[in-house]
Amino acid sequence: MTDLTGKTALVTGSVQGIGLAVARALAGAGARIALHGLADAETAAEVSAEITALGAPEVRFFGTDLREPERIDRMMADLAEWGAVDILVNNAGIQHTAPLADMPRETWSAILEVNLSAAFHTMQAAMPGMAERGYGRVVNIASVHGLVASVNKAPYCAAKFGLVGLSRVAALEYAAQGVKAKGGVTVNCIAPGWTETAIIEPQVAARAALHGGDRDVGIADLLAEKQPSRRTSDPSEIGALALWLCDPVAHNVTGTTIPVDGGWTAQ
């Protein structure tokens, strides 16, 4: 089993969905966890308590707005004082579907800021320290939409394609840092397909409405278009993959984008 005792992990967007699943997996391996999200105090406390119960020796919560670089800088500085970030999981993301001609400019900017620019800022702050210590893991939660396009998702696809490119560049720049025994410094993307999270609910609801409100039929119809397995993924499956990437045994897995998409991008 992966042992992350003594490591500190920051997981953005970790109060629900994939981010929470990743935080659970890392906590179970003994990592200190920095949670993040735009959540009220009660939700933050509940999630922090859950992550502590799963095995994290220490937990902190950050409510940083990732659209503001100065606030990201403060969060990363606070984290450096608490415990240098060894594992960085950029998961926070927002989405809005609309045709290119109708996409509001402010929506374009917000999606790029949260889904792409925030990852640049956190990586820029955390990765030099990872190199100095000889171990570091960046796991960026991209999407199949970082590998293939879909209509009505211009800013989301642009951000996710950009995240894949950013990750590859960082992987090359840090590939020779560290040694095999410590695990080195790696940067990878996970590209989920249809996964049971809140971000896909508007699309599920719209498709279910075409079938008399039947959610199961709506999901089946949605998956039939693109995901050959016709099965959704559970967030815990993404968490398990992220945990494996953090193991020192994965020291030579870097610069990759691993789809979890039921064959979507194999077509």
Side-chain angles (χ1 to χ4, degrees):
M1 294 179 62
T2 303
D3 183 3
L4 299 179
T5 303
K7 306 297 186 188
T8 299
L10 166 62
V11 186
T12 67
S14 47
V15 295
Q16 63 179 355
I18 290 173
L20 178 54
V22 172
R24 286 169 174 158
L26 300 180
R32 305 162 81 214
I33 304 294
L35 296 167
H36 164 270
L38 300 181
D40 57 40
E42 182 179 356
T43 300
E46 288 175 356
V47 175
S48 297
E50 177 188 354
I51 296 302
T52 300
L54 287 171
E58 294 181 72
V59 178
R60 286 191 63 179
F61 178 82
F62 293 86
T64 306
D65 187 337
L66 298 181
R67 295 172 297 178
E68 301 182 30
E70 295 79 11
R71 293 194 178 187
I72 296 174
D73 290 343
R74 287 198 294 273
M75 175 179 71
M76 299 307 291
D78 288 345
L79 274 167
E81 293 181 4
W82 181 55
V85 175
D86 302 295
I87 298 164
L88 171 62
V89 182
N90 285 302
N91 167 75
I94 56 176
Q95 184 180 162
H96 177 75
T97 57
L100 182 66
D102 300 330
M103 187 68 67
R105 286 185 176 180
E106 59 272 19
T107 300
W108 165 272
S109 297
I111 291 175
L112 268 290
E113 287 162 357
V114 174
N115 295 19
L116 177 58
S117 295
F120 166 77
H121 297 307
T122 57
M123 290 166 67
Q124 187 178 55
M127 293 195 72
M130 293 177 181
E132 290 175 6
R133 294 187 297 278
Y135 170 88
R137 293 291 184 268
V138 177
V139 180
N140 289 325
I141 307 301
S143 166
V144 291
H145 290 116
L147 299 171
V148 295
S150 287
V151 297
N152 299 332
K153 296 182 181 179
Y156 191 76
C157 288
K160 295 301 186 179
F161 268 78
L163 188 59
V164 170
L166 169 64
S167 301
R168 289 178 177 176
V169 171
L172 291 175
E173 291 185 2
Y174 284 86
Q177 300 298 321
V179 296
K180 183 176 180 178
K182 286 188 175 181
V185 179
T186 68
V187 186
N188 293 287
C189 288
I190 298 175
W194 292 115
T195 306
E196 293 279 355
T197 63
I199 201 169
I200 73 166
E201 281 305 313
Q203 295 168 80
V204 170
R207 192 60 62 96
L210 300 176
H211 298 278
D214 190 319
R215 187 174 186 276
D216 290 338
V217 174
I219 290 175
D221 187 35
L222 198 61
L223 267 62
E225 289 182 3
K226 295 180 178 178
Q227 191 148 314
S229 70
R230 301 196 181 188
R231 300 186 300 270
T232 58
S233 296
D234 186 84
S236 64
E237 298 160 20
I238 313 302
L241 177 54
L243 175 61
W244 182 81
L245 287 171
C246 292
D247 196 296
V249 75
H251 66 96
N252 259 340
V253 181
T254 194
T256 66
T257 299
I258 304 175
V260 185
D261 65 1
W264 184 337
T265 54
Q267 299 176 98

